[in-house]
Amino acid sequence: MNMNVKEVFAQAIYKQTEISLEQIYRLIEVPKHPSLGDLAFPCFLLAKTWKKSPASIAEQIAQSITEDCFSKVEANGPYVNGFIHRESFTISVLNQILYERENYGTLSDGAGKTIVIDFSSPNIAKPFSMGHLRSTVIGNALSNIAQKCGYNAVKINHLGDWGTQFGKLMAAFKHWGDEDKVRKQPIAELFTLYTKFHEEAEIHPQLIDEGRQWFKKLEDGDSEAVYLWKWFREESLKEFSKIYQLLNISFDSFAGEAFYNDKMGETIEKLQGQNLLEVSDGAEVVDLTDVSLPPCLIKKSDGATLYATRDLTAALYRQEHYQFSKALYVVGHEQSVHFQQVFAVLEKMGYPWAKSMIHVPFGLYLQNGKKMSTRKGRVILLENVLQETIRLAEQNIEQKNPTLENKKEVAKQVGVGAVIFHDLKNYRMNNIEFSLEQMLTFEGETGPYVQYTFARACSILQKGNWNINSNFSLKKLATNDVVNDDSWELIKLLFSFSNQVQQAFIQLDPSIIAKYTVDVAKCFNKYYSKVKILTNNNGLQERLALVYAVTVVLKNGLQLIGVDAPKSM
RNA sequence: GUCCCAGUAGCUCAGCUGGAUAGAGCAACAGCCUUCUAAGCUGUGGGUCGGGGGUUCGAAUCCCUCCUGGGACGCCA
């Protein structure tokens, strides 16, 4: 059967009316209550031209729709309600999932196109905080989603390994640093120095100048400065890679800010060549008043470069190397102006691809309603949070499933999954008030809930001797257990997976997928509580096929948002 | 002061390209394990969708305005 029943519905209505197919398509909705059918078309719009009541129009249209993928089409007040033929649709959906498995939901929208995604990008010598978690998990999820949409996704970790902060750190190290301490606990010690610097600088403002001088030395290739920089960077990377391993996130490139050092001259020359640079208070800037933005600082009055200079250079480099059709920057909302400036400068330089640069902003983690600040040492370390959630997962396993084989691995998957899911489940622009208590919740709309549902389903498949590798396909359904109201909602949900993927990509919002997995889990748990899957031999294979389809979709969905799906827990 | 984001149940949020009685989860209370993993399921209570205007047959959803909270506004990133 034609699985695009919405298309069939729209076509049927199109034959009856003068309005365009696209408009009909837009008007078609899903009724609020399942009892009202699966698809609905409101007739208000036609009332004017037809000079009839919406209700009588609905009546007329309903009668004319006789396509056999609908078991019933009826008018309900001003709406035409379509009821999809459940059995044939169910068989089609299940067979497709059984056949496509891990490829189910894959799209080809992005075939042949490259998308570069700039995310995570922690600052060297600073601890990996909860703040970085957001960029990291959102960026990773978007990469997965883009890939599912057929794009070639290039994951770039634009490390914060250059900038005045290093000057500050060097100044601090020269004043109060202890080499042995740094070797023992690199990030913790460097961070202490960094925090001390800012405290001292409030009393002795000349420290700020000192920091700037050290950074200038670094840019000029001073050997001591370069030595310190290399050392700080190396130690930091070691610790970051532990976190990325735990989160199971990898990158295609670690070309950070320092990577563009020797390439910035060219950028500045280009800007000069196009007469875009002007001097303002000793600094060189690109004026952006014509697009209502503050000027973009390219060069400081001491000649050193800035954030924007590096981002411009990186953009040029990436376009040249990857020929991206889209470039995403998964960076906090507070940097919106910066990206508007960078994109505006690229536009002024005449690059047509400037329009395919997209800043993907997100809300911040707040602490007591305020932004966390690394400068003031007010941070929560991701590592500590993960330790807590993993420990709780361990406790849960000990209590609920003490005979589980690979306890440690599962605890890790659940603990980490809880943190990732908690971060991704809400609309990304929302601020998140940090609450360890909430991260440690494993019930309700949480990662562990979805994982648990998956594990439960897997357990049934195992007990039912479901053979994943068989080429089983459904022809017809023998019992009503796979076409009752609960399973029907489940089938429709499973069917909508690729739509959800597409939406998540269009809106660049992984929360769409996270919410979707919860919906599937909820729906399955409801079915599970009502229908005994294994106890009756009649229709067993059909019910197992449905359960298997659920595991496929849950696994694919979780994979997109970067959450593991343990088979038992 | 200017600009950006948000404001929906006690709490955390969904719904927002306009449509049928505004939905979940948590917390509270009440049920459900001799039967497929109770990290589950079922039920009860709980809402002037921040306020006020406007557009429309119809507004939580679009427009205007005000209020509240968060963030950003030149040599940090």
Side-chain angles (χ1 to χ4, degrees):
Chain A
M1 85 178 272
N2 183 352
M3 283 172 72
N4 202 339
V5 284
K6 189 176 174 184
E7 183 74 39
V8 174
F9 196 58
Q11 287 284 358
I13 295 165
Y14 181 60
K15 283 185 207 153
Q16 305 291 306
T17 64
E18 324 72 43
I19 42 180
S20 71
L21 200 56
E22 300 94 272
Q23 197 170 7
I24 293 170
Y25 214 78
R26 269 212 315 277
L27 282 168
I28 293 174
E29 55 190 281
V30 177
K32 290 213 159 177
H33 287 266
S35 61
L36 296 169
D38 306 308
L39 291 169
F41 178 76
C43 299
F44 305 99
L45 207 74
L46 291 166
K48 266 185 193 165
T49 46
W50 289 30
K51 296 194 172 108
K52 284 166 84 176
S53 76
S56 59
I57 295 170
E59 197 68 47
Q60 189 183 327
I61 293 178
Q63 279 175 13
S64 72
I65 301 179
T66 53
E67 274 74 3
D68 62 4
C69 59
F70 295 103
S71 59
K72 183 170 71 171
V73 179
E74 62 179 20
N76 191 317
Y79 293 88
V80 179
N81 290 341
F83 294 74
I84 298 171
H85 194 282
R86 292 186 177 184
E87 184 171 342
S88 52
F89 190 78
T90 297
I91 291 171
S92 301
V93 171
L94 290 181
N95 280 339
Q96 193 186 350
I97 299 172
L98 257 50
Y99 178 71
E100 297 185 351
R101 297 175 195 173
E102 67 274 12
N103 291 321
Y104 181 66
T106 300
L107 301 165
S108 54
D109 306 22
K113 294 183 195 159
T114 294
I115 181 166
V116 301
I117 306 177
D118 177 320
F119 67 103
S120 196
S121 312
N123 291 324
I124 298 298
K126 285 192 200 172
F128 204 100
S129 70
M130 286 304 292
H132 291 114
L133 177 70
R134 299 226 69 195
S135 171
T136 308
V137 297
I138 293 171
N140 182 56
L142 289 179
S143 307
N144 295 335
I145 291 165
Q147 254 155 27
K148 193 85 178 160
C149 290
Y151 285 89
N152 169 37
V154 178
K155 300 183 273 184
I156 300 177
N157 193 336
H158 193 239
L159 291 172
D161 57 2
W162 203 252
T164 314
Q165 53 178 342
F166 284 96
K168 292 176 180 173
L169 199 56
M170 287 170 197
F173 183 74
K174 294 300 280 183
H175 279 288
W176 317 289
D178 177 331
E179 192 165 332
D180 289 339
K181 272 191 183 169
V182 176
R183 291 214 182 274
K184 271 181 201 148
Q185 284 196 304
I187 293 204
E189 187 57 25
L190 290 175
F191 184 54
T192 306
L193 287 170
Y194 187 74
T195 311
K196 188 178 168 84
F197 180 89
H198 281 282
E199 281 165 12
E200 294 283 328
E202 283 189 19
I203 314 159
H204 311 289
Q206 70 272 21
L207 276 170
I208 300 284
D209 271 333
E210 223 176 286
R212 268 193 212 124
Q213 280 160 26
W214 270 103
F215 179 54
K216 188 72 174 68
K217 277 167 112 174
L218 180 62
E219 281 216 309
D220 292 341
D222 173 89
S223 62
E224 185 180 13
V226 170
Y227 169 79
L228 286 175
W229 174 78
K230 274 192 179 154
W231 180 39
F232 293 163
R233 186 178 191 274
E234 206 174 300
E235 295 294 343
S236 300
L237 269 182
K238 272 188 218 157
E239 292 206 24
F240 290 155
S241 71
K242 277 188 226 157
I243 302 261
Y244 290 132
Q245 222 161 30
L246 205 52
L247 293 174
N248 203 9
I249 289 177
S250 63
F251 296 90
D252 299 303
S253 162
F254 282 89
E257 300 192 75
F259 177 77
Y260 299 101
N261 272 342
D262 55 353
K263 300 170 184 66
M264 283 186 283
E266 206 179 316
T267 309
I268 294 169
E269 275 167 33
K270 277 183 189 156
L271 287 165
Q272 270 164 347
Q274 296 188 307
N275 274 325
L276 290 171
L277 284 183
E278 55 185 68
V279 178
S280 165
D281 294 334
E284 298 198 38
V285 309
V286 176
D287 182 78
L288 296 171
T289 41
D290 57 331
V291 284
S292 313
L293 285 170
C296 182
L297 285 250
I298 302 295
K299 227 173 171 182
K300 296 201 266 187
S301 39
D302 66 359
T305 58
L306 282 138
Y307 186 32
T309 329
R310 285 185 282 280
D311 264 355
L312 282 170
T313 310
L316 292 167
Y317 176 87
R318 289 172 190 173
Q319 175 55 224
E320 195 183 324
H321 272 73
Y322 302 113
Q323 281 105 42
F324 57 77
S325 63
K326 265 186 215 279
L328 307 185
Y329 291 85
V330 185
V331 182
H333 155 250
E334 70 271 26
Q335 290 186 33
S336 295
V337 176
H338 163 75
F339 285 105
Q340 282 176 42
Q341 290 176 310
V342 170
F343 300 164
V345 171
L346 289 169
E347 191 109 22
K348 268 190 190 300
M349 292 173 83
Y351 296 111
W353 47 266
K355 286 192 173 59
S356 46
M357 317 279 288
I358 304 163
H359 175 212
V360 183
F362 52 82
L364 324 86
Y365 271 104
L366 301 179
Q367 207 176 5
N368 305 317
K370 295 283 175 197
K371 188 184 175 182
M372 297 176 181
S373 162
T374 30
R375 290 196 193 180
K376 290 170 186 155
R378 207 169 56 213
V379 275
I380 292 160
L381 303 190
L382 175 60
E383 211 179 336
N384 297 346
V385 174
L386 288 174
Q387 269 169 15
E388 288 289 317
T389 55
I390 292 170
R391 205 177 56 188
L392 181 66
E394 258 164 351
Q395 278 174 21
N396 273 316
I397 292 168
E398 223 45 73
Q399 209 177 75
K400 297 169 202 285
N401 196 357
T403 57
L404 186 69
E405 273 181 27
N406 45 347
K407 286 182 193 172
K408 254 199 137 88
E409 177 61 18
V410 173
K412 194 199 101 178
Q413 291 176 322
V414 173
V416 172
V419 171
I420 295 177
F421 201 91
H422 175 263
D423 193 292
L424 290 179
K425 73 175 173 182
N426 292 331
Y427 175 53
R428 65 173 154 76
M429 286 305 289
N430 291 349
N431 286 340
I432 304 176
E433 174 67 33
F434 177 82
S435 154
L436 188 60
E437 198 189 334
Q438 276 204 27
M439 304 241 190
L440 294 175
T441 302
F442 290 178
E443 286 159 29
E445 297 168 334
T446 65
Y449 169 77
V450 179
Q451 290 172 317
Y452 173 73
T453 307
F454 175 80
R456 226 184 188 187
C458 285
S459 163
I460 291 177
L461 292 178
Q462 201 183 7
K463 291 198 170 142
N465 291 315
W466 171 260
N467 185 358
I468 297 172
N469 296 316
S470 74
N471 286 319
F472 176 77
S473 90
L474 290 168
K475 305 268 179 324
K476 58 177 189 170
L477 304 177
T479 71
N480 283 332
D481 295 343
V482 185
V483 279
N484 66 20
D485 285 346
D486 296 308
S487 70
W488 179 236
E489 289 309 308
L490 197 45
I491 289 290
K492 283 197 285 181
L493 260 178
L494 297 179
F495 173 68
S496 73
F497 183 50
S498 63
N499 268 326
Q500 306 280 343
V501 173
Q502 196 169 36
Q503 273 307 306
F505 184 71
I506 290 170
Q507 296 180 33
L508 298 173
D509 191 358
S511 74
I512 290 172
I513 302 295
K515 279 168 207 145
Y516 173 74
T517 62
V518 169
D519 287 343
V520 173
K522 258 188 209 167
C523 201
F524 174 72
N525 280 326
K526 200 171 179 178
Y527 177 76
Y528 174 96
S529 70
K530 286 195 186 169
V531 175
K532 294 290 167 229
I533 292 154
L534 296 175
T535 46
N536 180 359
N537 265 333
N538 186 21
L540 177 63
Q541 287 309 305
E542 297 154 25
R543 289 190 300 273
L544 286 176
L546 177 64
V547 175
Y548 178 63
V550 168
T551 63
V552 167
V553 172
L554 283 181
K555 188 164 185 175
N556 290 2
L558 288 174
Q559 181 272 328
L560 288 179
I561 55 175
V563 174
D564 286 326
K567 288 206 164 174
S568 60
M569 62 187 267

